[in-house]
Amino acid sequence: QVQLQESGPGLVKPSQTLSLTCTVSGGSISSGAYYWSWIRQPAGKGLEWIGRIYISGYTNYNPFLKSRVTISVDTSKNQFSLKLNSVTAADTAVYYCTRGGSSGLEGMDVWGQGTTVTVSS
Amino acid sequence: DIQMTQSPSSLSASVGDRVTITCRASQRISNYLNWYQHKPGNAPNLLIYAASSLQSGVPSRFSGSGSGTDFTLTISSLQPEDFATYYCQQSYGAPLSFGGGTKVEIK
């Protein structure tokens, strides 16, 4: 059974870079049947899709973050990562990594437990 | 970009009630529509994919319907463990997007 686990600093200073890693266990990240995605939820708000990466390296990002976000994959470590530049307090949220079916019809069926990131000096 | 609008934003219901949540897409998305349940402190859980397919392990009291722009999630008989926030999400095209959520509370 595939499991995802987010890791990274829980506190980031304003204007710095938020970096998170998602480790995939119980399966290979190299399967072409899936994409790997990041989603966040600010406190008291709904779910926001940040972006996704396919094993080919192809990425999609949400336009509201596009200029600041990079998602990458490291197949040797079975991990994918999120980098968000120039963070502000508005980037404070619970961040989730997920797996989605590459056909688009399967939904996001595996989620990490989520990690809280606070942006504060 | 595709906007997803859910209604209502919250509802109060009793155990055993039939509950219906609606989701509308700003353009036609065929059946590229998924539903998630989210409880505080937990990760969201996929309930329904492709508008009407029940995810493995999800109780049969959950069902989904719709195509095009209008979709529905129905809980046939609300159970205590179903009190949560429910989100629809379109996977028709990037950027993927979620509805604003429907919080189901105990009456």
Side-chain angles (χ1 to χ4, degrees), chain A residues 8-102:
Chain A
L11 181 64
V12 182
K13 289 182 166 52
S15 80
Q16 294 191 343
T17 297
L18 179 161
S19 296
L20 295 176
T21 296
C22 183
T23 301
V24 180
S25 60
S28 172
I29 199 171
S30 297
S31 169
Y34 304 105
Y35 63 81
W36 308 91
S37 189
W38 288 95
I39 288 159
R40 71 182 187 182
Q41 184 177 37
K45 296 187 178 182
L47 300 170
E48 297 179 348
W49 183 75
I50 297 171
R52 66 181 171 188
I53 188 165
Y54 293 82
I55 199 56
S56 63
Y58 180 75
T59 54
N60 297 117
Y61 298 126
N62 200 318
F64 85 97
L65 290 172
K66 188 173 182 179
S67 62
R68 298 195 290 131
V69 65
T70 302
I71 297 175
S72 59
V73 63
D74 186 336
T75 55
S76 67
K77 295 182 179 179
N78 228 31
Q79 295 176 334
F80 64 106
S81 298
L82 168 70
K83 290 190 186 297
L84 183 64
N85 302 325
S86 304
V87 296
T88 69
D91 297 310
T92 294
V94 178
Y95 286 75
Y96 297 98
C97 58
T98 76
R99 182 184 82 170
S102 60

